[in-house]
Amino acid sequence: GEDVEQSLFLSVREGDSSVINCTYTDSSSTYLYWYKQEPGAGLQLLTYIFSNMDMKQDQRLTVLLNKKDKHLSLRIADTQTGDSAIYFCAENQGSARQLTFGSGTQLTVLP
Amino acid sequence: DGGITQSPKYLFRKEGQNVTLSCEQNLNHDAMYWYRQDPGQGLRLIYYSQIVNDFQKGDIAEGYSVSREKKESFPLTVTSAQKNPTAFYLCASSVMWGANYGYTFGSGTRLTVV
């Protein structure tokens, strides 16, 4: 099947902004999602964006969507040590009614 | 509160044994999924079910079996045929209607072969 792609690692300093990028595959996806996984835990839905939106902001999180390039990004402002986790993007592929996940980006926040 | 519960959190299996991982949800979701996650890797789909009494193989179904006798429950059995079962197992559920069917995940079961 087609892949949703993410870079594997990102390191930032505490207090800086983090930007996690994702390239998805299905131009007909109606929703795109960001999940957070802390060590030893399940995935927690952070936020999602509807495909007719370009941007969605939720407190420290900003999601940007470029449909032309099939590019999704998650910006975390004022990154804290508690933000250290793996972040997965996912797209829905309508006909199968399933989500396709990227491989996850390990975010490390340095003091 | 509605949610999805996986048990046990940790499970140890001897060589040649079958073990069953539990997944229960009270979200009234129709679809349920099992994923395997290995260290430093993403999610790989084992099995999924979109309706009671029906389920489909995912990408890595060999050595695993499931049942879906009730809407709320989707247990996963790791059989002795699975040669490398040590991994973190995640269960998820979702609705089957509307355009927004983001998954809700359980907290996972870590299976170790001893």
Side-chain angles (χ1 to χ4, degrees), chain B residues 52-99:
Chain B
V52 174
N53 291 323
D54 186 53
F55 48 82
Q56 305 297 327
K57 292 182 179 180
D59 301 319
I60 55 162
E62 185 174 352
Y64 300 97
S65 66
V66 293
S67 63
R68 187 84 188 278
E69 297 175 1
K70 298 187 300 181
K71 188 176 183 179
E72 301 79 17
S73 179
F74 191 41
L76 173 74
T77 297
V78 184
T79 75
S80 56
Q82 170 50 238
K83 297 307 178 189
N84 185 22
T86 294
F88 190 53
Y89 291 86
L90 287 161
C91 181
S93 68
S94 71
V95 298
M96 280 298 292
W97 45 266

Short mmCIF file of all heavy atoms in Angstrom, two decimals, chain B residues 52-99:
data_model
loop_
_atom_site.label_atom_id
_atom_site.label_comp_id
_atom_site.label_asym_id
_atom_site.label_seq_id
_atom_site.Cartn_x
_atom_site.Cartn_y
_atom_site.Cartn_z
N VAL B 52 -19.88 -7.25 14.14
CA VAL B 52 -19.86 -8.46 14.96
C VAL B 52 -19.88 -9.69 14.07
O VAL B 52 -20.51 -9.71 13.01
CB VAL B 52 -21.07 -8.46 15.92
CG1 VAL B 52 -21.16 -9.77 16.69
CG2 VAL B 52 -20.97 -7.30 16.90
N ASN B 53 -19.14 -10.71 14.49
CA ASN B 53 -19.04 -12.00 13.79
C ASN B 53 -18.35 -11.91 12.44
O ASN B 53 -18.52 -12.81 11.60
CB ASN B 53 -20.43 -12.65 13.63
CG ASN B 53 -21.00 -13.10 14.97
OD1 ASN B 53 -20.27 -13.57 15.83
ND2 ASN B 53 -22.29 -12.92 15.13
N ASP B 54 -17.59 -10.85 12.23
CA ASP B 54 -16.83 -10.74 11.00
C ASP B 54 -15.50 -10.06 11.30
O ASP B 54 -15.46 -9.10 12.08
CB ASP B 54 -17.59 -9.94 9.95
CG ASP B 54 -16.87 -9.95 8.61
OD1 ASP B 54 -16.54 -11.04 8.11
OD2 ASP B 54 -16.62 -8.86 8.07
N PHE B 55 -14.42 -10.53 10.70
CA PHE B 55 -13.12 -9.90 10.88
C PHE B 55 -12.25 -10.20 9.66
O PHE B 55 -12.51 -11.14 8.91
CB PHE B 55 -12.42 -10.36 12.16
CG PHE B 55 -12.41 -11.86 12.38
CD1 PHE B 55 -11.47 -12.66 11.77
CD2 PHE B 55 -13.36 -12.45 13.20
CE1 PHE B 55 -11.46 -14.04 11.97
CE2 PHE B 55 -13.35 -13.82 13.42
CZ PHE B 55 -12.40 -14.61 12.80
N GLN B 56 -11.24 -9.34 9.48
CA GLN B 56 -10.39 -9.43 8.30
C GLN B 56 -8.93 -9.43 8.72
O GLN B 56 -8.56 -8.78 9.70
CB GLN B 56 -10.63 -8.24 7.37
CG GLN B 56 -12.08 -8.04 6.95
CD GLN B 56 -12.63 -9.18 6.15
OE1 GLN B 56 -11.88 -9.81 5.38
NE2 GLN B 56 -13.90 -9.47 6.30
N LYS B 57 -8.11 -10.12 7.95
CA LYS B 57 -6.67 -10.11 8.20
C LYS B 57 -6.07 -8.77 7.82
O LYS B 57 -6.47 -8.16 6.83
CB LYS B 57 -5.98 -11.21 7.40
CG LYS B 57 -6.33 -12.62 7.84
CD LYS B 57 -5.58 -13.64 7.02
CE LYS B 57 -5.91 -15.06 7.48
NZ LYS B 57 -5.19 -16.08 6.69
N GLY B 58 -5.10 -8.35 8.63
CA GLY B 58 -4.32 -7.18 8.31
C GLY B 58 -3.03 -7.59 7.63
O GLY B 58 -2.95 -8.63 6.97
N ASP B 59 -1.99 -6.79 7.81
CA ASP B 59 -0.73 -7.02 7.11
C ASP B 59 0.11 -8.15 7.69
O ASP B 59 0.93 -8.73 7.00
CB ASP B 59 0.09 -5.73 7.13
CG ASP B 59 -0.65 -4.58 6.47
OD1 ASP B 59 -1.29 -4.82 5.42
OD2 ASP B 59 -0.61 -3.45 7.00
N ILE B 60 -0.10 -8.46 9.00
CA ILE B 60 0.78 -9.44 9.66
C ILE B 60 -0.04 -10.43 10.48
O ILE B 60 0.25 -10.70 11.63
CB ILE B 60 1.84 -8.75 10.54
CG1 ILE B 60 1.19 -7.81 11.56
CG2 ILE B 60 2.83 -7.96 9.69
CD1 ILE B 60 2.13 -7.44 12.70
N ALA B 61 -1.07 -11.04 9.88
CA ALA B 61 -2.00 -11.90 10.62
C ALA B 61 -1.44 -13.28 10.98
O ALA B 61 -1.97 -13.96 11.87
CB ALA B 61 -3.28 -12.06 9.81
N GLU B 62 -0.38 -13.72 10.33
CA GLU B 62 0.11 -15.07 10.56
C GLU B 62 0.55 -15.28 12.00
O GLU B 62 1.31 -14.48 12.55
CB GLU B 62 1.28 -15.37 9.62
CG GLU B 62 1.77 -16.81 9.72
CD GLU B 62 2.84 -17.14 8.69
OE1 GLU B 62 3.10 -16.31 7.80
OE2 GLU B 62 3.44 -18.23 8.80
N GLY B 63 0.04 -16.36 12.63
CA GLY B 63 0.40 -16.65 14.01
C GLY B 63 -0.54 -16.01 15.03
O GLY B 63 -0.33 -16.15 16.24
N TYR B 64 -1.55 -15.32 14.55
CA TYR B 64 -2.53 -14.67 15.42
C TYR B 64 -3.94 -15.13 15.05
O TYR B 64 -4.19 -15.53 13.92
CB TYR B 64 -2.48 -13.15 15.26
CG TYR B 64 -1.16 -12.51 15.61
CD1 TYR B 64 -0.24 -12.20 14.61
CD2 TYR B 64 -0.84 -12.21 16.92
CE1 TYR B 64 0.98 -11.61 14.91
CE2 TYR B 64 0.38 -11.60 17.24
CZ TYR B 64 1.28 -11.31 16.23
OH TYR B 64 2.48 -10.72 16.54
N SER B 65 -4.86 -15.07 16.02
CA SER B 65 -6.27 -15.31 15.73
C SER B 65 -7.12 -14.37 16.57
O SER B 65 -6.68 -13.88 17.62
CB SER B 65 -6.66 -16.77 15.99
OG SER B 65 -6.56 -17.07 17.38
N VAL B 66 -8.33 -14.08 16.09
CA VAL B 66 -9.24 -13.20 16.80
C VAL B 66 -10.64 -13.77 16.76
O VAL B 66 -10.94 -14.70 16.00
CB VAL B 66 -9.26 -11.77 16.19
CG1 VAL B 66 -7.93 -11.07 16.38
CG2 VAL B 66 -9.65 -11.84 14.71
N SER B 67 -11.52 -13.18 17.57
CA SER B 67 -12.95 -13.46 17.50
C SER B 67 -13.69 -12.17 17.76
O SER B 67 -13.15 -11.25 18.38
CB SER B 67 -13.35 -14.54 18.51
OG SER B 67 -13.10 -14.09 19.84
N ARG B 68 -14.92 -12.09 17.29
CA ARG B 68 -15.75 -10.90 17.55
C ARG B 68 -17.18 -11.37 17.76
O ARG B 68 -18.05 -11.20 16.94
CB ARG B 68 -15.66 -9.93 16.37
CG ARG B 68 -16.35 -8.60 16.63
CD ARG B 68 -15.53 -7.62 17.36
NE ARG B 68 -16.22 -6.43 17.77
CZ ARG B 68 -16.47 -5.36 17.00
NH1 ARG B 68 -16.14 -5.39 15.72
NH2 ARG B 68 -17.06 -4.30 17.50
N GLU B 69 -17.40 -11.95 18.93
CA GLU B 69 -18.72 -12.49 19.26
C GLU B 69 -19.64 -11.41 19.84
O GLU B 69 -20.86 -11.55 19.81
CB GLU B 69 -18.58 -13.65 20.22
CG GLU B 69 -17.81 -14.83 19.63
CD GLU B 69 -17.58 -15.94 20.63
OE1 GLU B 69 -18.04 -15.81 21.79
OE2 GLU B 69 -16.93 -16.94 20.27
N LYS B 70 -19.03 -10.37 20.39
CA LYS B 70 -19.79 -9.26 20.95
C LYS B 70 -19.23 -7.95 20.42
O LYS B 70 -18.03 -7.84 20.15
CB LYS B 70 -19.70 -9.25 22.49
CG LYS B 70 -20.26 -10.45 23.18
CD LYS B 70 -20.26 -10.25 24.70
CE LYS B 70 -18.88 -10.02 25.24
NZ LYS B 70 -18.88 -9.85 26.72
N LYS B 71 -20.09 -6.97 20.32
CA LYS B 71 -19.65 -5.67 19.81
C LYS B 71 -18.56 -5.06 20.68
O LYS B 71 -17.66 -4.40 20.20
CB LYS B 71 -20.85 -4.73 19.76
CG LYS B 71 -20.60 -3.42 19.07
CD LYS B 71 -21.90 -2.62 18.98
CE LYS B 71 -21.70 -1.33 18.23
NZ LYS B 71 -22.97 -0.56 18.12
N GLU B 72 -18.64 -5.33 21.99
CA GLU B 72 -17.75 -4.67 22.93
C GLU B 72 -16.37 -5.31 23.01
O GLU B 72 -15.45 -4.73 23.57
CB GLU B 72 -18.36 -4.70 24.34
CG GLU B 72 -19.72 -4.03 24.46
CD GLU B 72 -20.86 -4.89 23.98
OE1 GLU B 72 -20.67 -6.14 23.83
OE2 GLU B 72 -21.95 -4.35 23.73
N SER B 73 -16.21 -6.52 22.51
CA SER B 73 -15.03 -7.30 22.81
C SER B 73 -14.34 -7.82 21.55
O SER B 73 -15.00 -8.33 20.63
CB SER B 73 -15.44 -8.48 23.70
OG SER B 73 -14.33 -9.28 24.00
N PHE B 74 -13.01 -7.75 21.53
CA PHE B 74 -12.24 -8.21 20.35
C PHE B 74 -10.92 -8.81 20.87
O PHE B 74 -9.86 -8.22 20.73
CB PHE B 74 -11.99 -7.02 19.43
CG PHE B 74 -11.44 -7.38 18.06
CD1 PHE B 74 -11.91 -8.48 17.36
CD2 PHE B 74 -10.49 -6.57 17.46
CE1 PHE B 74 -11.43 -8.78 16.09
CE2 PHE B 74 -10.00 -6.84 16.18
CZ PHE B 74 -10.48 -7.96 15.50
N PRO B 75 -10.97 -10.02 21.43
CA PRO B 75 -9.75 -10.62 21.97
C PRO B 75 -8.80 -11.11 20.89
O PRO B 75 -9.24 -11.58 19.83
CB PRO B 75 -10.28 -11.80 22.80
CG PRO B 75 -11.61 -12.12 22.20
CD PRO B 75 -12.17 -10.84 21.68
N LEU B 76 -7.52 -11.01 21.17
CA LEU B 76 -6.46 -11.45 20.26
C LEU B 76 -5.71 -12.61 20.90
O LEU B 76 -5.23 -12.49 22.03
CB LEU B 76 -5.49 -10.30 19.99
CG LEU B 76 -4.23 -10.64 19.18
CD1 LEU B 76 -4.58 -10.85 17.70
CD2 LEU B 76 -3.18 -9.54 19.32
N THR B 77 -5.61 -13.72 20.17
CA THR B 77 -4.81 -14.85 20.64
C THR B 77 -3.51 -14.91 19.86
O THR B 77 -3.52 -14.91 18.62
CB THR B 77 -5.58 -16.18 20.50
OG1 THR B 77 -6.73 -16.13 21.33
CG2 THR B 77 -4.71 -17.36 20.92
N VAL B 78 -2.42 -14.93 20.61
CA VAL B 78 -1.10 -15.09 20.01
C VAL B 78 -0.77 -16.58 20.12
O VAL B 78 -0.63 -17.11 21.23
CB VAL B 78 -0.05 -14.25 20.74
CG1 VAL B 78 1.30 -14.34 20.04
CG2 VAL B 78 -0.50 -12.79 20.83
N THR B 79 -0.69 -17.25 19.00
CA THR B 79 -0.51 -18.70 19.02
C THR B 79 0.97 -19.06 19.01
O THR B 79 1.85 -18.21 18.76
CB THR B 79 -1.21 -19.35 17.83
OG1 THR B 79 -0.44 -19.11 16.65
CG2 THR B 79 -2.63 -18.81 17.64
N SER B 80 1.23 -20.34 19.23
CA SER B 80 2.60 -20.82 19.23
C SER B 80 3.22 -20.73 17.83
O SER B 80 4.44 -20.82 17.67
CB SER B 80 2.66 -22.26 19.73
OG SER B 80 1.83 -23.08 18.96
N ALA B 81 2.40 -20.53 16.83
CA ALA B 81 2.91 -20.39 15.46
C ALA B 81 3.56 -19.03 15.21
O ALA B 81 4.28 -18.87 14.23
CB ALA B 81 1.77 -20.60 14.46
N GLN B 82 3.31 -18.09 16.11
CA GLN B 82 3.94 -16.76 15.98
C GLN B 82 5.35 -16.88 16.56
O GLN B 82 5.52 -17.01 17.78
CB GLN B 82 3.11 -15.71 16.71
CG GLN B 82 3.76 -14.34 16.84
CD GLN B 82 4.30 -13.78 15.55
OE1 GLN B 82 5.49 -13.48 15.45
NE2 GLN B 82 3.45 -13.63 14.55
N LYS B 83 6.34 -16.80 15.70
CA LYS B 83 7.72 -17.12 16.11
C LYS B 83 8.40 -16.02 16.89
O LYS B 83 9.35 -16.26 17.62
CB LYS B 83 8.55 -17.46 14.86
CG LYS B 83 8.06 -18.69 14.12
CD LYS B 83 7.94 -19.88 15.06
CE LYS B 83 7.40 -21.10 14.35
NZ LYS B 83 7.08 -22.20 15.30
N ASN B 84 7.96 -14.81 16.73
CA ASN B 84 8.59 -13.68 17.42
C ASN B 84 7.52 -12.78 18.03
O ASN B 84 7.29 -11.68 17.54
CB ASN B 84 9.47 -12.90 16.43
CG ASN B 84 10.24 -11.81 17.12
OD1 ASN B 84 10.47 -11.84 18.33
ND2 ASN B 84 10.65 -10.80 16.36
N PRO B 85 6.84 -13.26 19.08
CA PRO B 85 5.69 -12.52 19.58
C PRO B 85 6.01 -11.38 20.53
O PRO B 85 5.12 -10.60 20.86
CB PRO B 85 4.90 -13.60 20.32
CG PRO B 85 5.94 -14.56 20.78
CD PRO B 85 7.00 -14.56 19.72
N THR B 86 7.24 -11.26 20.98
CA THR B 86 7.59 -10.20 21.93
C THR B 86 7.39 -8.85 21.26
O THR B 86 8.05 -8.53 20.27
CB THR B 86 9.04 -10.35 22.41
OG1 THR B 86 9.15 -11.56 23.17
CG2 THR B 86 9.44 -9.17 23.28
N ALA B 87 6.45 -8.05 21.80
CA ALA B 87 6.10 -6.76 21.20
C ALA B 87 5.09 -6.07 22.10
O ALA B 87 4.62 -6.62 23.10
CB ALA B 87 5.50 -6.95 19.80
N PHE B 88 4.75 -4.86 21.71
CA PHE B 88 3.71 -4.08 22.37
C PHE B 88 2.47 -4.14 21.49
O PHE B 88 2.55 -3.86 20.29
CB PHE B 88 4.21 -2.63 22.53
CG PHE B 88 3.36 -1.76 23.39
CD1 PHE B 88 3.01 -2.13 24.67
CD2 PHE B 88 2.93 -0.53 22.93
CE1 PHE B 88 2.25 -1.31 25.48
CE2 PHE B 88 2.17 0.32 23.73
CZ PHE B 88 1.82 -0.09 25.00
N TYR B 89 1.34 -4.56 22.07
CA TYR B 89 0.12 -4.76 21.29
C TYR B 89 -0.91 -3.69 21.66
O TYR B 89 -1.21 -3.46 22.84
CB TYR B 89 -0.46 -6.16 21.55
CG TYR B 89 0.41 -7.25 20.96
CD1 TYR B 89 1.48 -7.76 21.68
CD2 TYR B 89 0.18 -7.73 19.68
CE1 TYR B 89 2.30 -8.74 21.14
CE2 TYR B 89 0.98 -8.71 19.13
CZ TYR B 89 2.05 -9.20 19.86
OH TYR B 89 2.86 -10.17 19.31
N LEU B 90 -1.46 -3.07 20.64
CA LEU B 90 -2.42 -1.99 20.82
C LEU B 90 -3.75 -2.34 20.17
O LEU B 90 -3.79 -2.82 19.04
CB LEU B 90 -1.89 -0.69 20.20
CG LEU B 90 -0.76 -0.02 20.96
CD1 LEU B 90 -0.02 0.95 20.07
CD2 LEU B 90 -1.31 0.69 22.20
N CYS B 91 -4.81 -2.09 20.91
CA CYS B 91 -6.17 -2.28 20.40
C CYS B 91 -6.78 -0.90 20.18
O CYS B 91 -6.47 0.05 20.92
CB CYS B 91 -6.98 -3.07 21.42
SG CYS B 91 -8.68 -3.41 20.95
N ALA B 92 -7.61 -0.77 19.17
CA ALA B 92 -8.26 0.51 18.87
C ALA B 92 -9.69 0.24 18.41
O ALA B 92 -10.04 -0.88 18.02
CB ALA B 92 -7.49 1.27 17.80
N SER B 93 -10.51 1.28 18.47
CA SER B 93 -11.88 1.17 17.99
C SER B 93 -12.27 2.46 17.29
O SER B 93 -11.65 3.52 17.51
CB SER B 93 -12.84 0.85 19.12
OG SER B 93 -12.94 1.94 20.02
N SER B 94 -13.31 2.38 16.46
CA SER B 94 -13.80 3.58 15.77
C SER B 94 -15.25 3.38 15.36
O SER B 94 -15.75 2.26 15.33
CB SER B 94 -12.95 3.89 14.54
OG SER B 94 -13.18 2.94 13.52
N VAL B 95 -15.89 4.50 15.00
CA VAL B 95 -17.24 4.42 14.45
C VAL B 95 -17.15 3.99 12.99
O VAL B 95 -16.08 4.05 12.37
CB VAL B 95 -17.97 5.77 14.57
CG1 VAL B 95 -18.12 6.17 16.02
CG2 VAL B 95 -17.25 6.86 13.80
N MET B 96 -18.26 3.55 12.47
CA MET B 96 -18.31 3.15 11.06
C MET B 96 -19.21 4.07 10.25
O MET B 96 -19.60 3.75 9.14
CB MET B 96 -18.80 1.71 10.93
CG MET B 96 -17.74 0.67 11.20
SD MET B 96 -16.37 0.76 10.03
CE MET B 96 -17.23 0.21 8.54
N TRP B 97 -19.58 5.23 10.81
CA TRP B 97 -20.44 6.16 10.09
C TRP B 97 -19.80 7.54 10.13
O TRP B 97 -18.95 7.81 10.95
CB TRP B 97 -21.83 6.21 10.72
CG TRP B 97 -21.80 6.30 12.22
CD1 TRP B 97 -21.88 5.27 13.10
CD2 TRP B 97 -21.65 7.48 13.01
NE1 TRP B 97 -21.78 5.75 14.38
CE2 TRP B 97 -21.65 7.09 14.37
CE3 TRP B 97 -21.50 8.83 12.71
CZ2 TRP B 97 -21.53 8.00 15.41
CZ3 TRP B 97 -21.39 9.76 13.75
CH2 TRP B 97 -21.39 9.32 15.08
N GLY B 98 -20.20 8.41 9.21
CA GLY B 98 -19.66 9.76 9.17
C GLY B 98 -18.27 9.79 8.56
O GLY B 98 -17.65 8.76 8.29
N ALA B 99 -17.77 10.98 8.37
CA ALA B 99 -16.47 11.15 7.73
C ALA B 99 -15.32 11.19 8.72
O ALA B 99 -14.17 11.01 8.35
CB ALA B 99 -16.46 12.44 6.92
#
